[in-house]
Amino acid sequence: MKILQYLLWTNCNNACKFCIRGDKSDAYSKIEDMLASIEKAKSNILSQDWSSYKGGISIIGGELYYVEDRRLQLALLDLMHTATDVILKKNDSTCIVLITNLIYDDSFLKEVLHQFEKEGVLNQVHLHTSFDLKYRYKDSADKQTMLSNLEDLSKEFPVLNLTTQTILTQYFIEAVNDGSFNINEFEEKYNTRFTLLVPLYSNLSSTLSDFFPKRRDFINFLIKLYDENPITFRKFIDSARYAFSSKDFIDTQNDRECRPSNSVFVTSDMMKCGHYDIYRVYSDSDKCMLCDIEALCQRGGTKFE
């Protein structure tokens, strides 16, 4: 699915140990600047013809639902209402994707979701959150806050499309292999679809000993994943193939549009195999992860494809 992302600002209330952002300073410290960014996104939405658009939009921060200033909250609610009126209600093949880490009091997020519910479009809302077994949370309390919020949302908004993403690290692979984490049980408990993401290299993630997977462990994990959760397997394959080329960005913070060829994700060099070197992420090999994924699918024939 094509996703048009509106980037309002890059402020975040968390500091993941594997974050790819080099600059951790707040992009916006003034409420007026943040309000102006919201207004730019609203103006752009109103200026577009969405009647034949086949895809979704995503309005992202940093972390949007952590804001406490009521002026910002009201402006965000108005932005969501505009997207509902102009896009969702006029084209039921579209959707809106909300992205949040859920490490906060979720009262404002619920207010946003209740607004979508009252306007009759909650079934077109996809809420994506992130989970990690080791490196995302500064302490166990943050992890429990996220899980409690996720469970609460799944019960209060049963028609909401919930997706939980986690980075496919060596630590995660070992946790699944030893039985300390079970994808199917997680999905059932939290009424969420579980998806896996390719680990990305950064100056921070490169220092984490069990972040990047070992090549053989990764390949064996994918084979096991297909047998035990083929939907999660397929979503990971699609994500690995297209995650860095399927999004357009409208950065209202810096007044610029970014297409896939020059998006913030594609900043690396091309390898001999034809893939970007962001896929050179094994801890014990220089081989391309995406090449291994494609080779695995080809060898599996119809089983994997």
Side-chain angles (χ1 to χ4, degrees), residues 103 130-132 134-139 142-143 146:
I103 313 174
S130 302
F131 178 72
D132 185 70
K134 187 173 183 179
Y135 289 119
R136 181 173 297 277
Y137 309 106
K138 68 176 183 294
D139 53 39
D142 272 359
K143 181 179 179 180
M146 180 271 169

Side-chain angles (χ1 to χ4, degrees), residues 36-74:
S37 185
I38 295 172
E39 187 60 34
K40 289 174 186 176
K42 178 180 176 180
S43 297
N44 184 276
I45 289 173
L46 289 170
S47 70
Q48 305 288 333
D49 178 8
W50 302 95
S51 58
S52 59
Y53 182 69
K54 305 294 184 184
I57 71 163
S58 179
I59 300 173
I60 60 176
E63 184 55 65
L64 299 182
Y65 310 101
Y66 183 69
V67 297
E68 297 178 345
D69 189 284
R70 190 56 181 167
R71 290 173 295 170
L72 281 176
Q73 291 180 348
L74 291 173

Side-chain angles (χ1 to χ4, degrees), residues 197-209:
L197 304 175
V198 173
L200 290 177
Y201 180 88
S202 74
N203 290 334
L204 294 175
S205 62
S206 63
T207 66
L208 307 178
S209 60

Side-chain angles (χ1 to χ4, degrees), residues 43 74 168 177 186 254 289:
S43 297
L74 291 173
L168 185 50
N177 287 341
F186 188 96
N254 297 307
M289 176 178 282

Side-chain angles (χ1 to χ4, degrees), residues 154-180:
S154 70
K155 292 177 180 178
E156 188 167 344
F157 304 95
V159 304
L160 178 65
N161 301 285
L162 277 173
T163 296
T164 303
Q165 302 174 330
T166 196
I167 298 173
L168 185 50
T169 64
Q170 180 67 23
Y171 188 88
F172 181 84
I173 290 173
E174 292 175 0
V176 172
N177 287 341
D178 67 23
S180 59

Side-chain angles (χ1 to χ4, degrees), residues 264-288:
V264 294
F265 294 113
V266 183
T267 58
S268 54
D269 296 325
M270 195 77 74
M271 295 185 287
K272 290 182 179 180
C273 63
H275 300 137
Y276 288 103
D277 65 8
I278 49 176
Y279 292 105
R280 188 185 286 126
V281 291
Y282 291 126
S283 63
D284 60 348
S285 173
D286 286 334
K287 296 291 186 179
C288 171

Side-chain angles (χ1 to χ4, degrees), residues 72-91:
L72 281 176
Q73 291 180 348
L74 291 173
L76 286 168
L77 286 167
D78 180 60
L79 178 60
M80 302 299 177
H81 171 71
T82 298
T84 297
D85 240 19
V86 175
I87 305 173
L88 302 183
K89 285 187 175 181
K90 294 184 178 180
N91 186 342

